[in-house]
Amino acid sequence: IKRGLCRLFYDYEHFNGGEIEIIDQSHTVLHIKNDQEIFSFDLKLEKADRDYGDGPCLSQLEVIPKNTAAQKWLGTKKQIIKKKQRPLWETYDGRVKQKIWESAGLFDLKNTFLLQKLEISTDRLVCIIDQTVWNLYKDQMLAWAKSVEIKLETIIAPGNEDEKTMDNMIFLLDELARVDPL
């Protein structure tokens, strides 16, 4: 988005030395003037779900030219600049690559983010979850699963570090065999 705004405001030769004026803040109409022309754009800004520490961020900018000069410069009727969605971080131990994603409203009705990232190709999802989390989110998770037409198979297991024992590993293997027999 930053690159898109820089291109819009500074990089293009017609705008160098021009004047930027926000005409109407209710729907963000922007006029950029130079010696020869006025370029008029309607900007639609979408706030990101997350604050990255420096204040709110944008996740999408839609630039719609409002006059012929702006459309000629942009070369299209509108341009959408999106912040690339990517994992917050990745780990790789030489065998397995893990991608850690952040998503607001993960279990909101009809939200398919999880299905897309896990590349679910069946009509069910096996979820290993601890009892506390299940007690808090059971109703929301079941409603979400129904809304995206997927069967949620849950395995409730202890979640603390001290519960990482061989007995619990055998329990998990037995439970996986129960919900997904070979």
Side-chain angles (χ1 to χ4, degrees), residues 5 8 30 44 46 55 59 71 77 89 111 120 140-141 145 148 164-165 170 173-174:
L5 286 172
L8 183 65
L30 178 71
K44 293 183 180 177
E46 186 176 307
S59 65
Q71 186 169 344
K77 292 186 178 176
W89 66 86
N111 186 347
I120 301 295
Q140 185 179 5
M141 290 174 72
V148 294
K164 292 181 179 177
T165 65
I170 292 168
L173 291 172
D174 289 342

Side-chain angles (χ1 to χ4, degrees), residues 99-118:
K99 295 181 180 183
I100 311 300
W101 295 87
E102 178 183 24
S103 176
L106 186 61
F107 294 110
D108 288 350
L109 299 179
K110 302 285 185 183
N111 186 347
T112 60
F113 178 85
L114 187 60
L115 302 179
Q116 293 167 359
K117 295 303 168 204
L118 293 176

Side-chain angles (χ1 to χ4, degrees), residues 62-114:
E62 186 173 348
V63 182
I64 304 165
K66 301 304 281 181
N67 64 5
T68 307
Q71 186 169 344
K72 183 178 174 186
W73 173 76
L74 197 60
T76 182
K77 292 186 178 176
K78 71 178 175 179
Q79 183 175 29
I80 298 175
I81 303 164
K82 291 184 179 184
K83 181 178 178 183
K84 185 179 177 188
Q85 192 175 35
R86 61 179 195 257
L88 287 180
W89 66 86
E90 293 183 23
T91 62
Y92 181 65
D93 67 2
R95 297 170 296 140
V96 177
K97 186 178 205 175
Q98 291 183 325
K99 295 181 180 183
I100 311 300
W101 295 87
E102 178 183 24
S103 176
L106 186 61
F107 294 110
D108 288 350
L109 299 179
K110 302 285 185 183
N111 186 347
T112 60
F113 178 85
L114 187 60

Side-chain angles (χ1 to χ4, degrees), residues 14-85:
H14 289 296
F15 296 157
N16 287 341
E19 215 177 280
I20 298 173
E21 178 182 8
I22 297 177
I23 302 297
D24 181 354
Q25 290 185 352
S26 65
H27 61 280
T28 318
V29 173
L30 178 71
H31 284 181
I32 303 173
K33 303 175 191 176
N34 67 10
D35 293 337
Q36 298 96 21
E37 298 177 290
I38 296 176
F39 300 83
S40 181
F41 299 93
D42 188 5
L43 303 179
K44 293 183 180 177
L45 310 172
E46 186 176 307
K47 185 177 179 247
D49 294 334
R50 177 176 181 191
D51 182 332
Y52 289 88
D54 296 331
C57 296
L58 297 176
S59 65
Q60 180 171 309
L61 165 67
E62 186 173 348
V63 182
I64 304 165
K66 301 304 281 181
N67 64 5
T68 307
Q71 186 169 344
K72 183 178 174 186
W73 173 76
L74 197 60
T76 182
K77 292 186 178 176
K78 71 178 175 179
Q79 183 175 29
I80 298 175
I81 303 164
K82 291 184 179 184
K83 181 178 178 183
K84 185 179 177 188
Q85 192 175 35

